[in-house]
């Protein structure tokens, strides 16, 4: 068995590439089942967020070609289109990488907590699809425990830094007083909920929540005194928005250049601040060409985020120590699995020899032999059979001058001698 973490993220690929390799939530289960049907792939989970798409696999050997080829073929990409952006982590590197991701140490926003929930969703989806077994199941549970330890034992989560927070911070730079603005939040997921919370806390005058599922929009709107609308009413309300924050799971943009142009005209070209946090993007990139529009993507938020995460640096160093230690522990458990079959076979052989000697002892007792003598013969026969093979092997090792084997045997058997 071999562990593998493979994919791209915000550090290796621009949003234009990341959106091409994202997995739609409603197709993820089928993609997982297709992945584990590839040669030598035994288990798999897929994490697909706005900042990363990663595949976590348990394969029969170290050959990663089937996984890479499937990934490229699934997204209809040529090798030269994706290979410059991908990274591959095997074994210990994979374990450490996955733990760092779960702990927020590899996030655009250092230490952000949303990624842990996204990883739990990825695990649950893979589990329901039947593509997670013993190894990945144990790894995910271990990662969740490590992420919890990092947040408990370090101060990495104390500063209010997130993509949503960065978006609102940028809005406050453009509109000094949010109490005179209207915000339009498109979507109703965790990121939009955070953005709405930050906007509300900073006194935004009015807020509109637009979502495909109106019921979910109403739930979120009720929490912040906002107004809920379905997505198909966006064009009618876009002109009201000074601030637009978009984060949906739509496969195609839901706001085009034409709709924004019409809204600007109705606004008499008062400026609009727009943040597209989604991958794939919710707002057509061409919108950035319009006058009076300030359009930012998740990649544009990096500088804002960088300014707000210095306080987490020291905590991150402590978190890395936890990850390194726990990665080593997990790999120790993984290596122990290699001995399981040998231990099972050894025990089965010992039980077979025991049963042979017991059968012989029962026959002797049945014909009336002295029980004391039968017990002695049973013990001697079992001892001789158990030590015969190791004794032969050790004598041959001595003859062949294989000192390392004799030393290993001494440790294994717990026996020390005075003879060098």
């Amino acid at each position: 068995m071999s562990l593998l973490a493979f994919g791209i993220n915000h550090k290796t690929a621009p949003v234009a590439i990341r959106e091409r390799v994202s997995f739609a939530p409603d197709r993820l289960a089928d993609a997982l089942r297709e992945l584990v049907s590839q040669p030598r792939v035994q288990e798999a989970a897929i994490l697909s967020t706005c900042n990363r798409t990663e595949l976590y696999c348990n394969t029969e050997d170290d050959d990663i070609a089937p996984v890479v080829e499937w990934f490229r073929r699934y997204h209809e990409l040529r090798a030269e289109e994706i290979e410059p952006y991908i990274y591959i982590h095997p074994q210990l590197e994979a374990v450490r990488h996955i733990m760092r991701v779960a702990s927020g140490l590899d996030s655009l926003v250092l230490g952000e907590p949303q990624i842990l929930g996204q990883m739990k969703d990825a695990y649950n989806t893979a589990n329901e699809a039947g593509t997670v077994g013993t190894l990945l199941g144990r790894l995910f549970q271990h990662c969740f425990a490590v992420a919890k330890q990092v947040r408990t034992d370090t101060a990495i989560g104390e500063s209010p830094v997130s993509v949503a927070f960065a978006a609102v911070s940028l809005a406050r730079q453009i509109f000094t007083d949010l109490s005179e603005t209207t915000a339009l939040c498109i979507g109703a997921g965790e990121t939009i909920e955070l953005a709405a919370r930050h906007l509300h806390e900073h006194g935004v005058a009015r807020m509109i929540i637009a979502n495909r599922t109106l019921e979910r929009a109403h739930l979120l709107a009720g929490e912040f005194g906002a107004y809920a609308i379905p997505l198909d009413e966006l064009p009618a309300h876009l002109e009201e928005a000074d601030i637009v924050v978009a984060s949906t799971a739509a496969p195609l943009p839901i706001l085009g250049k034409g709709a924004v142009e019409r809204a600007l005209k109705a606004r008499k070209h008062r400026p609009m601040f727009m943040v597209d946090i989604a991958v794939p993007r919710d707002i057509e990139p061409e919108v950035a060409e319009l006058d009076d529009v300030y359009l930012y993507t998740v990649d544009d938020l990096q500088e804002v985020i960088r300014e707000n995460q210095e306080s987490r640096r020291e905590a991150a160093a402590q978190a890395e120590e936890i990850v390194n230690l726990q990665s080593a522990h997990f790999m120790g458990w993984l290596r122990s699995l290699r001995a399981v079959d040998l231990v099972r076979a050894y025990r089965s052989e010992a039980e077979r020899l025991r049963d042979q000697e017991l059968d012989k002892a029962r026959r002797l007792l049945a014909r009336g032999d002295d029980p004391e003598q039968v017990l002695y013969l049973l013990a001697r026969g079992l001892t001789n059979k158990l030590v015969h093979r190791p004794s032969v092997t050790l004598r041959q090792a001595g003859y062949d001058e294989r000192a390392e084997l004799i030393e290993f045997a001494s440790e294994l058997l717990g026996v020390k001698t005075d003879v060098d």
Side-chain angles (χ1 to χ4, degrees), residues 239-314:
E239 65 184 74
E240 304 169 35
D242 304 296
I243 300 167
V244 177
V245 182
S247 180
T248 77
L252 297 171
I254 56 179
L255 271 184
K257 185 178 180 181
V260 178
E261 278 183 312
R262 288 189 291 275
L264 285 171
K265 185 176 181 180
R267 288 172 58 82
K268 302 187 186 305
H269 293 278
R270 284 181 292 118
M272 294 179 72
F273 168 72
M274 311 181 81
V275 181
D276 188 353
I277 303 174
V279 176
R281 282 174 281 193
D282 284 334
I283 303 172
E284 286 184 349
E286 291 77 14
V287 169
E289 300 169 3
L290 297 173
D291 292 334
D292 305 310
V293 171
Y294 301 90
L295 174 61
Y296 294 83
T297 68
V298 287
D299 289 353
D300 298 321
L301 297 178
Q302 291 193 45
E303 183 58 36
V304 179
I305 290 166
R306 196 174 296 116
E307 294 173 0
N308 288 280
Q309 62 185 4
E310 287 303 319
S311 62
R312 299 193 175 193
R313 300 293 183 190
E314 184 176 342

Side-chain angles (χ1 to χ4, degrees), residues 306-366:
R306 196 174 296 116
E307 294 173 0
N308 288 280
Q309 62 185 4
E310 287 303 319
S311 62
R312 299 193 175 193
R313 300 293 183 190
E314 184 176 342
Q318 298 171 350
E320 294 285 4
E321 293 178 3
I322 294 172
V323 166
N324 289 338
L325 177 63
Q326 293 298 333
S327 297
H329 286 174
F330 183 84
M331 291 305 295
W333 171 80
L334 185 59
R335 287 190 297 271
S336 74
L337 295 182
R338 299 171 185 171
V340 169
D341 290 342
L342 180 60
V343 170
R344 188 181 293 117
Y346 180 68
R347 180 177 292 277
S348 177
E349 177 63 11
E351 290 172 349
R352 186 184 67 80
L353 296 174
R354 176 202 62 195
D355 292 343
Q356 282 184 353
E357 294 304 310
L358 275 174
D359 287 343
K360 186 186 297 183
R362 290 191 184 102
R363 288 195 299 271
L364 293 176
L365 289 172

Side-chain angles (χ1 to χ4, degrees), residues 105-120:
L105 296 175
D106 195 56
S107 296
L108 172 61
V109 180
L110 182 63
E112 59 92 5
Q114 288 77 30
I115 187 64
L116 179 58
Q118 292 167 333
M119 286 201 75
K120 289 181 176 179

Side-chain angles (χ1 to χ4, degrees), residues 57-231:
C57 301
N58 171 21
T59 59
E60 293 178 7
D61 51 40
D62 295 333
D63 184 7
I64 63 168
V67 176
V68 177
E69 174 61 25
W70 175 83
F71 182 76
R72 190 177 61 77
R73 189 172 63 250
Y74 184 90
H75 292 292
E76 299 179 347
L77 294 167
R78 298 188 305 277
E80 60 271 20
E81 291 181 289
I82 190 62
E83 286 181 357
Y85 306 105
I86 63 175
Y87 45 80
I88 300 166
H89 300 298
Q91 295 294 79
L92 175 60
E93 291 180 22
V95 173
R96 185 172 180 274
H97 175 78
I98 298 170
M99 288 185 182
R100 293 186 76 250
V101 170
S103 301
L105 296 175
D106 195 56
S107 296
L108 172 61
V109 180
L110 182 63
E112 59 92 5
Q114 288 77 30
I115 187 64
L116 179 58
Q118 292 167 333
M119 286 201 75
K120 289 181 176 179
D121 290 342
Y123 166 72
N124 289 333
T125 299
N127 201 31
E128 292 170 5
T131 63
V132 167
T134 301
L135 195 152
L136 281 188
R138 177 71 174 259
L139 176 57
F140 269 102
Q141 295 305 321
H142 200 99
C143 287
F144 299 155
V146 169
K148 182 179 180 180
Q149 182 184 357
V150 164
R151 303 205 73 78
T152 301
D153 294 355
T154 76
I156 198 165
E158 290 184 359
S159 300
V161 181
S162 66
V163 170
F165 181 83
V168 176
S169 296
L170 203 54
R172 292 176 65 203
Q173 292 178 25
I174 294 173
F175 301 100
T176 307
D177 187 0
L178 294 189
S179 66
E180 298 180 359
T181 63
T182 295
L184 170 61
C185 296
I186 305 174
E190 196 169 332
T191 301
I192 286 296
E193 182 177 353
L194 280 171
R197 188 177 305 281
H198 288 308
L199 286 164
H200 180 71
E201 290 173 352
H202 286 94
V204 70
R206 182 166 173 263
M207 197 184 315
I208 304 168
I209 307 291
N211 192 52
R212 193 175 307 279
T213 306
L214 188 57
E215 182 181 0
R216 171 61 182 155
H218 276 300
L219 286 174
L220 193 56
E223 188 174 350
F224 303 111
Y227 178 68
I229 62 171
L231 282 184

